[in-house]
Every structure is written in structure tokens, then in C-alpha cells.
């Protein structure tokens, strides 16, 4: 099963719908940045959702957004949510745990019953129906500092997931699909197809990348079906018949529903 992932911090507004609008609008997965926003001894206060710097974009405590997602899960008992968290500030799982517990979302968290293995693949993942039946409908990955001995339901992303290149610089003619992270050449069970683009400026020899504006994405057709499907076909040529699991992009509501059309097509569903 492949899902569409909202790129950039969970609560950052790259559309007009807000976090509740995104989750009720069929966005089942998010990729967000965790950063420290202030000096405090309470992780419920200092673990925030930011992008680049909390001084520039700070959408508040992680716990607040998790609470909204939990409300959605309460109201929709057959929906599964995946979080992919970029741990920019290097929080420990014990620092993240209070946000999950205080929001109440930890009650839905999935914790694998298998141990990591040297091959990083071939795990006995549950089916979607099994996750629903057990009410373990929240799957959380952390890109750095994950430790299942501390918090069993915050999973180490690079143990289970590979991503294709994310530093796609505007203008993009052909999106790549080679394994970019981790760069050990070892396949994992789950694959993220990054389909978003940055503007790049160079200052004093340093590259500064910033996300495209909504208007740029619209003008260049990055979220249109033609661009998405061409990228998908490239990935099929690299990964064969293996299914990719997540597509990440900005401004999911630009493109006349093309992302949902593609995902339905890949999953064998009708978009009608």
C-alpha cells in the first residue's frame, strides 16, 4: 500500500486547510521537523514543530498537533496514520514521549514485535487490517536518536526505510529515484519517493535551499499527474515491481487531485 506524505513540518501551512483539513483530506502520513524552541526543563514546552529555525517558522508544541491527529483517529477508527519525524535538534525518545502520552495518541502507537536485523529487511510487518484490529494505527519513524529500548513505538527510520534524493533543485526536468539515504546501498523494506523541489541560492560559497512557493509549484506543474507519473515510472525502472510506500510532496492540494489519482492508480483503486 502506498500513501501520500505531507512534506515539511506537520503544522506549517503550505496550503489553506490546516492540520485538520489535511488529515480529513486523505493525507495519511506526515514528514515533520522537531526543533527546540525555547529554554525550559519541560519537553512539552520546548519540543516544537519548526522549519529551518524556530525563530523563523514555529508552529507550536508537538503535543498540540499530536492532539489534533489523535482526535481524528478517535473519530475514524479504521484510519492509519504514519509520522516520519526529522529530529533536527536531536531529541531523545524520552524527550518526545511526553508529547505522545499527553496528547493521548500513544494509545494508538504500533510497536513491532521483531528485533532489528543485520539485513535491514524482510521484517514481518502487519497488514493494514491487523493494525486496525489491534488498534495500533499510528506508525512513527524518527530519523535520528531513536531507541526502542526507551520508547518502543518510536522506530528508527533508517533501520526500516530508504529515501530517494530529496535535494531536487529547481528547475527539475527529471526526478531521480536512486537510493539516497542511507547511503550504504542496502535496501530496506519501506521506500519514500521524495517529489518536492527547492530554490537554491549561494551565499559566500554556501548553498541555501528553500522550498518553492505554491505559485512556483503550480506554474511548473510539479504536482500535475504528468510529472508525478513520470517520476513514478522512473522509480519502477529502478526498483522493479517492488511497491514504493510513501510519496512526499509540498502543496498536496495543488494539481487538481493528481497525487490522489496516482496513489489510487498504484494501489489498484478507482479515483471515481
Amino acid at each position: 500500500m502506498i500513501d501520500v506524505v505531507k512534506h515539511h513540518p506537520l503544522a506549517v501551512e503550505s496550503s489553506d486547510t490546516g492540520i485538520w483539513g489535511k488529515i480529513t483530506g486523505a493525507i495519511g502520513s506526515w514528514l515533520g521537523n522537531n526543533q527546540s524552541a525555547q529554554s525550559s526543563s519541560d519537553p512539552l514546552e520546548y519540543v516544537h514543530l519548526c522549519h529551518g529555525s524556530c525563530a523563523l517558522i514555529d508552529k507550536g508544541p508537538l503535543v498540540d498537533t499530536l492532539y489534533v491527529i489523535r482526535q481524528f483517529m478517535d473519530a475514524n477508527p479504521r484510519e492509519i496514520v504514519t509520522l516520519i519525524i526529522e529530529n533536527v535538534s536531536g531529541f531523545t525518545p524520552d524527550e518526545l514521549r511526553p508529547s505522545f502520552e499527553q496528547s493521548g495518541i500513544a494509545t494508538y502507537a504500533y510497536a513491532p514485535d521483531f528485533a532489528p536485523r543485520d539485513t535491514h529487511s524482510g521484517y514481518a510487518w502487519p497488514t493494514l487490517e491487523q493494525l486496525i484490529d489491534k488498534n495500533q494505527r499510528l506508525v512513527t519513524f524518527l530519523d535520528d536518536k531513536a531507541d526502542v529500548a526507551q520508547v518502543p513505538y518510536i522506530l528508527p527510520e533508517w533501520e526500516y526505510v530508504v529515501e530517494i534524493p530529496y535535494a531536487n533543485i529547481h528547475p527539475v526536468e527529471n526526478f531521480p529515484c536512486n537510493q539516497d539515504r542511507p547511503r550504504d546501498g542496502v535496501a530496506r523494506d519501506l521506500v519514500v519517493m521524495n517529489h518536492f523541489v527547492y530554490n537554491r541560492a549561494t551565499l559566500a560559497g554556501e548553498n541555501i535551499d528553500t522550498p518553492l512557493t505554491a505559485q512556483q509549484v503550480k506554474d511548473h506543474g510539479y504536482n500535475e499527474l504528468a510529472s508525478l507519473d513520470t517520476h513514478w515510472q522512473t522509480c519502477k525502472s529502478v526498483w522493479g515491481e517492488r511497491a514504493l510506500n510513501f510519496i512526499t510532496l509540498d502543496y498536496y492540494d495543488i494539481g487538481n487531485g493528481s497525487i490522489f489519482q496516482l496513489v489510487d492508480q498504484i494501489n489498484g483503486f478507482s479515483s471515481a
Side-chain angles (χ1 to χ4, degrees):
M1 175 72 68
I2 191 166
D3 201 0
V4 54
V5 181
K6 168 71 172 61
H7 174 239
H8 290 318
L10 302 180
V12 170
E13 298 306 315
S14 65
S15 69
D16 297 328
T17 59
I19 187 67
W20 183 263
K22 291 178 178 67
I23 197 166
T24 56
I27 301 297
S29 307
W30 283 267
L31 188 156
N33 301 132
N34 265 351
Q35 295 185 36
S36 181
Q38 58 194 51
S39 58
S40 169
S41 60
D42 186 353
L44 290 173
E45 296 180 1
Y46 66 71
V47 178
H48 278 222
L49 289 172
C50 305
H51 185 59
S53 168
C54 288
L56 299 175
I57 301 178
D58 181 357
K59 290 298 180 177
L62 172 64
V63 64
D64 291 349
T65 293
L66 292 182
Y67 177 72
V68 175
I69 297 174
R70 196 220 80 198
Q71 288 181 301
F72 169 83
M73 298 182 75
D74 288 346
N76 296 272
R78 292 191 60 81
E79 295 295 334
I80 295 170
V81 173
T82 303
L83 303 179
I84 303 175
I85 301 175
E86 295 179 349
N87 194 13
V88 177
S89 290
F91 296 122
T92 67
D94 278 336
E95 289 178 288
L96 299 178
R97 185 207 305 263
S99 295
F100 283 79
E101 293 183 349
Q102 182 68 25
S103 67
I105 205 170
T107 189
Y108 294 125
Y110 165 73
D113 57 6
F114 45 76
R117 56 178 64 169
D118 292 339
T119 58
H120 303 296
S121 62
Y123 294 104
W125 293 98
T127 65
L128 298 182
E129 195 65 36
Q130 288 170 334
L131 290 174
I132 292 168
D133 288 345
K134 293 181 178 180
N135 211 20
Q136 298 176 338
R137 297 181 289 115
L138 177 76
V139 183
T140 303
F141 296 103
L142 187 69
D143 73 337
D144 187 37
K145 305 295 185 184
D147 183 350
V148 294
Q150 286 186 31
V151 183
Y153 56 79
I154 298 181
L155 311 183
E157 180 182 4
W158 307 128
E159 175 63 36
Y160 306 112
V161 181
V162 298
E163 291 189 10
I164 69 171
Y166 66 93
N168 303 302
I169 305 304
H170 177 69
V172 177
E173 295 297 329
N174 298 292
F175 283 88
C177 209
N178 56 290
Q179 180 172 325
D180 184 57
R181 295 187 298 175
R183 295 180 178 176
D184 56 10
V186 179
R188 270 70 166 171
D189 282 346
L190 307 175
V191 183
V192 174
M193 182 180 114
N194 291 316
H195 189 86
F196 50 88
V197 184
Y198 290 100
N199 292 307
R200 172 167 288 178
T202 303
L203 181 64
E206 295 291 329
N207 291 327
I208 302 173
D209 296 343
T210 57
L212 265 61
T213 65
Q215 191 61 50
Q216 285 180 297
V217 171
K218 184 176 182 179
D219 289 346
H220 292 273
Y222 289 129
N223 287 4
E224 296 296 334
L225 185 59
S227 177
L228 290 162
D229 187 57
T230 297
H231 194 184
W232 172 256
Q233 296 302 326
T234 298
C235 288
K236 285 181 64 177
S237 71
V238 173
W239 296 91
E241 291 304 311
R242 170 181 177 167
L244 278 68
N245 304 95
F246 305 101
I247 300 176
T248 64
L249 78 168
D250 290 327
Y251 309 107
Y252 77 95
D253 49 352
I254 292 177
N256 299 311
S258 293
I259 181 60
F260 301 113
Q261 183 178 343
L262 178 68
V263 169
D264 282 349
Q265 173 186 317
I266 293 168
N267 286 331
F269 300 136
S270 171
S271 296

